Amino acid sequence: MISYEHFILDNGLKVYVHQDNSTPFAAVNIVYNVGSRDEEEHKTGFAHLFEHLMFGGSKNIPSYDTPLQKVGGENNAFTSPDITNYYITLPAVNLETAFWLESDRMMALSFDQKVLDVQQKVVIEEFKQRYLNQPYGDVWLKLRPLAYKTHPYKWATIGKEISHIENAVMDDVRGFFYNHYLPNNANLVVAGNVTVEQVKQLCKKWFEPIPAGNVVKKNLPIEGIQTASRFLETEAEVPLDAIYKVYHTQGRHDKGFNATDLVSDILGRSKSSRLYKLVMENQIFNSVNAYVTASLDPGLMVIQGNLNQGVSIEEGDAAIQDVLDDFLKNPVSEEELTKVKNQAESTLVFSEVELLNRAMNLAFAANAGNVEYANQESSRIQAVTTDEIAQYATKTLTKDNCSTMYYRAKK
């Protein structure tokens, strides 16, 4: 259980304090309720571009990293389809430095054309290196629009195409900032060797003067039910043929999510999983695994594998389908379910050893609408039954609900 206390500032910023006096450090995590799903289809990649711009200086602080490094702090950020997350870890005695830095860029980001020019080049280079010039790097650029036809999950966080980043202008940047980077569109978690009263005073000093804004109401299109299988074939200079099969599933906090997540664990989490036998016993795959995307809106279960030399993708596809057919036909035993439950819970428990992870878990849950989600995960995992495993496996792993991509290695 992650203990916390909660209060809301007059400007709508929601604040959570997790006190842990066993450490000399503090973590400050701010999650903004904006991700790539909030972009327009002809202007994608903005949430990720903005993550970069937030480190380009603000009104009173031209260099974000320098003062933080002077007090022994570290920082980073990441963007997903659902959120943009910023975090700092530093000695707790220097906590106010984090408040000063984060509040200044929330209040008054530096809209400097030189910074925009530089960060556009950085993001474009990242797009090329990680997605276009890396083996299998473009998989999700192709898989997302295959699986999603309506919902903005159909483009990757990096963006749909490079030109959207190249064509970004300062007016676009200002508009994005004032629509989304608002105190009443954010959740702040402060964790570590701090007190609630200390955090309240720092919040009143640094964050409360920032005015609330008009948060853009989310009106995201709903993805329709997939009623027929989809297929895509591509090729590139990659080491091995690969196959990707994706199935529509529930959102992260929807009913049945944990059961579906455990289905993916039974199929492909560990060396004792069903699909792993195709690696060790049948030697069809060089590697194979299964997982769920765990997005806030309905996501995907993914089965992916790289074929061994001399094995065709068609053989690999048929072998995966044999495993799925057997899984749907034969009930999961209590012993097998208990094993994957324990694996999932141990991952959760070990992750919460880290102070920053606890802060993030609270922030993500609060952003999803209920901070208690962070403390309910273990009980939700343990509550899953074998009947639910069968129910959601049958619902998810149908051929009509599947999008398949064959990724062939150029000969």
Side-chain angles (χ1 to χ4, degrees), residues 220-277:
L220 302 177
I222 297 173
E223 186 70 22
I225 295 174
Q226 184 172 328
T227 57
S229 61
R230 298 169 187 163
F231 179 76
L232 175 67
E233 187 167 344
T234 188
E235 69 172 14
E237 293 181 358
V238 294
L240 298 168
D241 288 344
I243 183 172
Y244 300 83
K245 300 178 79 68
V246 296
Y247 302 81
H248 290 279
T249 63
Q250 306 85 354
R252 177 69 180 83
H253 300 290
D254 293 341
K255 182 181 179 181
F257 170 81
N258 293 98
T260 305
D261 189 19
L262 291 174
V263 168
S264 73
D265 287 350
I266 293 169
L267 287 172
R269 175 179 173 130
S270 66
K271 292 182 178 180
S272 60
S273 65
R274 303 287 186 94
L275 288 168
Y276 194 79
K277 293 178 181 179

Side-chain angles (χ1 to χ4, degrees), residues 241-245 275 278 282-288 303-308 310-324 404 406 408:
D241 288 344
I243 183 172
Y244 300 83
K245 300 178 79 68
L275 288 168
L278 298 180
N282 300 350
Q283 298 185 337
I284 294 173
F285 285 92
N286 178 273
S287 64
V288 63
I303 297 174
Q304 64 183 55
N306 291 350
L307 284 302
N308 276 322
V311 180
S312 71
I313 298 182
E314 289 79 5
E315 288 178 85
D317 195 358
I320 290 173
Q321 191 57 52
D322 286 344
V323 171
L324 299 183
T404 301
Y406 286 1
R408 297 191 186 277

Side-chain angles (χ1 to χ4, degrees), residues 377-388:
E377 189 70 7
S378 177
S379 61
R380 287 184 174 188
I381 291 169
Q382 293 300 335
V384 174
T385 65
T386 54
D387 286 344
E388 286 178 298

Side-chain angles (χ1 to χ4, degrees), residues 45 206 372:
W206 293 106
E372 271 303 300

Side-chain angles (χ1 to χ4, degrees), residues 37-264:
R37 67 174 181 167
D38 299 293
E39 299 164 346
E40 300 175 55
E41 190 163 1
H42 65 288
K43 290 183 179 180
T44 64
F46 270 66
H48 176 249
L49 173 62
F50 225 90
E51 174 205 320
H52 284 254
L53 293 174
M54 286 285 277
F55 292 95
S58 51
K59 182 178 180 180
N60 302 300
I61 307 169
S63 173
Y64 182 90
D65 289 333
T66 302
L68 185 61
Q69 290 169 353
K70 286 182 177 179
V71 298
E74 297 179 346
N75 74 91
N76 214 325
F78 59 85
T79 310
S80 79
D82 299 315
I83 61 166
T84 311
N85 194 66
Y86 300 87
Y87 57 90
I88 292 173
T89 56
L90 76 175
V93 293
N94 296 322
L95 179 64
E96 190 164 7
T97 300
F99 276 75
W100 169 57
L101 289 168
E102 288 294 350
S103 64
D104 200 63
R105 64 180 181 178
M106 179 189 284
M107 176 185 68
L109 189 67
S110 173
F111 296 110
D112 186 327
Q113 185 62 49
K114 291 181 181 178
V115 173
L116 176 58
D117 293 342
V118 168
Q119 294 307 325
Q120 280 175 299
K121 292 176 182 177
V122 170
V123 173
I124 289 167
E125 187 61 27
E126 180 183 345
F127 199 125
K128 291 176 180 178
Q129 287 190 4
R130 291 181 58 191
Y131 294 84
L132 302 182
N133 299 329
Q134 182 171 289
Y136 313 106
D138 62 347
V139 163
W140 284 103
L141 297 180
K142 298 177 184 298
L143 261 182
R144 284 189 174 276
L146 179 65
Y148 290 100
K149 300 302 179 185
T150 306
H151 195 282
Y153 285 163
K154 64 183 175 180
W155 57 79
T157 304
I158 193 71
K160 190 174 181 180
E161 52 189 72
I162 287 179
S163 64
H164 291 183
I165 304 301
E166 291 174 328
N167 296 332
V169 297
M170 190 58 71
D171 283 346
D172 296 326
V173 170
R174 284 196 181 91
F176 197 88
F177 181 81
Y178 289 117
N179 281 337
H180 302 292
Y181 278 75
L182 306 167
N184 47 323
N185 197 42
N187 289 273
L188 167 66
V189 175
V190 184
N193 196 1
V194 301
T195 67
V196 175
E197 187 57 36
Q198 175 191 18
V199 173
K200 281 184 177 179
Q201 293 304 316
L202 289 172
C203 281
K204 287 183 178 294
K205 177 180 178 180
W206 293 106
F207 283 103
E208 200 156 67
I210 303 172
N214 294 318
V215 177
V216 176
K217 186 177 181 180
K218 294 184 187 292
N219 188 25
L220 302 177
I222 297 173
E223 186 70 22
I225 295 174
Q226 184 172 328
T227 57
S229 61
R230 298 169 187 163
F231 179 76
L232 175 67
E233 187 167 344
T234 188
E235 69 172 14
E237 293 181 358
V238 294
L240 298 168
D241 288 344
I243 183 172
Y244 300 83
K245 300 178 79 68
V246 296
Y247 302 81
H248 290 279
T249 63
Q250 306 85 354
R252 177 69 180 83
H253 300 290
D254 293 341
K255 182 181 179 181
F257 170 81
N258 293 98
T260 305
D261 189 19
L262 291 174
V263 168
S264 73

